[in-house]
Amino acid sequence: MSAEKELKLDPKYDDYDFPYISPTDLSGHPGHTTPEQDAQVVQLREALTKDGFTDRLDTLTMLRFLRARKFNIDNAKAMFVDCEKWRKEFGGGVDQLVNNFEYPEKAQVFEYYPQYYHKTDKDGRPVYIEQLGKIDLNALYKITSADRMLQNLVVEYEKLADPRLPACSRKAGKLMETCCTIMDLKGVGISKASSVYGYVQQASAISQNYYPERLGKLYIINAPWGFSGIFSVIKRFLDPVTVSKIHVLGSGYEKELLAQVPKENLPKLFGGSCDCAGGCAFSDQGPWQEAEWSKTPKWAQKKDNSAAIQDNPTLTQAGATTEGAAVPAGSAPGVEAEAAAAAAPAPQ
């Protein structure tokens, strides 16, 4: 491993079982950090530990929050603290939600608002698809509620972090931290815009505030007449780095989209050749479903370990791993031998 592609890990917090060097050759990304940025990771973690935080202090997470706040430690800390507060309050607690949430109305909801992960793009990222043109909020709210739709969104974000991205990282042989989003606006007229964009704004706030640095590319396809004007207003409130990831395309989007997503991975609906049995929207196909790359999500392992300890109080650390416990260097398989550990599973 070359010097410029190393990442300082702390075995107390970092137990990755997937590649953790980013292919994004930009300052501040894993494997492309300066000594000053490495020190800022330690400083942020120490500041959070001093305030009593113990979870989600691994190096990759610290770097995501620091990048989201231009490596300003105070601002990154404030963002992390706000996020942890939100995690405790949202839906009765995000950690509990991801383990217990059920969405039996999903098929009905998808009639009016399909949103799903489906295979990967040419860089190895999960592809996430939303069809906003079908949204009928009046019909949706007879089936479900805005709260439950947002809870489902959050559960999917948790599953993106683990197991989806780890599985994609293993298959690609490099760190995948972001996804490729396709937002289809076919059928979204300006008259529908206020209600649709109102919900999207709520969903976007969750993404931007609590799941930073998860957007790799965004393709807005079938953009209606007048959308460019709306977007020109919206992008003034977005970070320039975020704006650079967004591609607004009209109905002639196929060539540009297929340059990023393999034809066999793209549903036929969007000009690809994929036609999953039962429909691509419900197939959940991707590396996270492939035994060679997928592993049980850590949030599920935590629940299983807690249940095992509750059932058998004689179990100690020798028989059950507790969160935050140090992992011996080199104990994780599948990554460079000289880098200690690499860990995570796969979402839908």
Side-chain angles (χ1 to χ4, degrees):
M1 184 185 293
S2 60
E4 70 272 21
K5 290 196 176 181
E6 292 180 352
L7 180 66
K8 284 193 173 182
L9 299 181
D10 185 329
K12 183 177 180 181
Y13 301 100
D14 301 324
D15 60 344
Y16 308 120
D17 62 0
F18 53 86
Y20 49 79
I21 299 300
S22 174
T24 304
D25 191 6
L26 294 174
S27 177
H29 287 259
H32 310 281
T33 52
T34 65
E36 181 184 8
Q37 289 168 339
D38 291 336
Q40 287 168 316
V41 167
V42 175
Q43 291 163 23
L44 175 58
R45 183 184 286 136
E46 287 177 347
L48 291 167
T49 303
K50 186 177 178 181
D51 285 356
F53 293 97
T54 58
D55 296 337
R56 290 170 282 278
L57 298 179
D58 65 282
T59 300
L60 296 182
T61 300
M62 295 293 92
L63 280 173
R64 284 194 302 109
F65 277 84
L66 283 164
R67 288 200 306 274
R69 291 298 177 261
K70 309 299 183 189
F71 278 82
N72 180 301
I73 293 174
D74 290 338
N75 292 346
K77 179 187 174 185
M79 185 184 194
F80 186 93
V81 170
D82 286 346
C83 179
E84 289 298 301
K85 180 176 184 290
W86 169 82
R87 289 184 68 90
K88 284 185 171 64
E89 296 172 352
F90 183 85
V94 172
D95 291 341
Q96 289 73 38
L97 192 67
V98 68
N99 271 298
N100 301 316
F101 183 75
E102 295 181 0
Y103 204 42
E105 68 267 40
K106 178 177 178 176
Q108 285 181 287
V109 169
F110 274 28
E111 287 183 30
Y112 301 101
Y113 189 12
Q115 42 185 165
Y116 55 97
Y117 288 89
H118 183 266
K119 300 188 176 181
T120 55
D121 71 2
K122 291 183 179 180
D123 293 317
R125 303 182 188 91
V127 173
Y128 176 68
I129 299 170
E130 285 197 8
Q131 291 174 256
L132 282 87
K134 290 190 173 186
I135 288 184
D136 181 335
L137 290 181
N138 291 328
L140 276 171
Y141 292 159
K142 291 175 184 174
I143 298 166
T144 191
S145 66
D147 284 347
R148 282 184 58 75
M149 287 173 65
L150 289 172
Q151 286 172 7
N152 177 64
L153 181 80
V154 167
V155 167
E156 293 303 315
Y157 268 128
E158 292 294 301
K159 291 179 179 180
L160 173 66
D162 186 12
R164 290 191 181 102
L165 287 169
C168 290
S169 298
R170 294 185 194 102
K171 186 168 186 176
K174 53 194 175 186
L175 178 65
M176 294 289 116
E177 291 191 286
T178 62
C179 57
C180 174
T181 295
I182 300 170
M183 193 170 286
D184 182 15
L185 299 189
K186 187 176 183 179
V188 178
I190 298 303
S191 61
K192 218 178 189 183
S194 58
S195 62
V196 171
Y197 296 144
Y199 171 81
V200 171
Q201 194 170 20
Q202 273 187 296
S204 297
I206 288 175
S207 168
Q208 193 162 289
N209 296 333
Y210 309 127
Y211 296 95
E213 295 289 298
R214 287 303 192 202
L215 178 64
K217 288 182 180 290
L218 169 59
Y219 291 88
I220 299 175
I221 64 173
N222 288 312
W225 180 88
F227 180 82
S228 294
I230 294 172
F231 183 68
S232 66
V233 174
I234 294 172
K235 72 181 182 182
R236 291 207 298 263
F237 300 98
L238 298 176
D239 184 277
V241 176
T242 301
V243 172
S244 70
K245 300 174 182 179
I246 300 174
H247 306 264
V248 179
L249 309 173
S251 57
Y253 60 81
E254 289 185 9
K255 183 177 180 181
E256 190 165 343
L257 192 57
L258 286 168
Q260 184 63 35
V261 183
K263 189 167 186 176
E264 64 272 18
N265 287 2
L266 189 65
K268 278 187 175 180
L269 177 65
F270 304 111
S273 60
C274 189
D275 189 15
C276 296
C280 291
F282 297 98
S283 72
D284 194 27
Q285 289 299 303
W288 50 92
Q289 295 286 10
E290 299 166 11
E292 185 177 358
W293 314 113
S294 65
K295 295 192 178 185
T296 303
K298 287 195 170 179
W299 45 263
Q301 291 174 6
K302 193 188 304 184
K303 182 181 181 182
D304 293 343
N305 286 342
S306 298
I309 292 170
Q310 192 170 19
D311 291 342
N312 185 359
T314 61
L315 276 178
T316 62
Q317 289 176 341
T321 303
T322 56
E323 186 176 15
V327 176
S331 64
V335 198
E336 291 88 343
E338 68 268 31
Q348 65 180 118

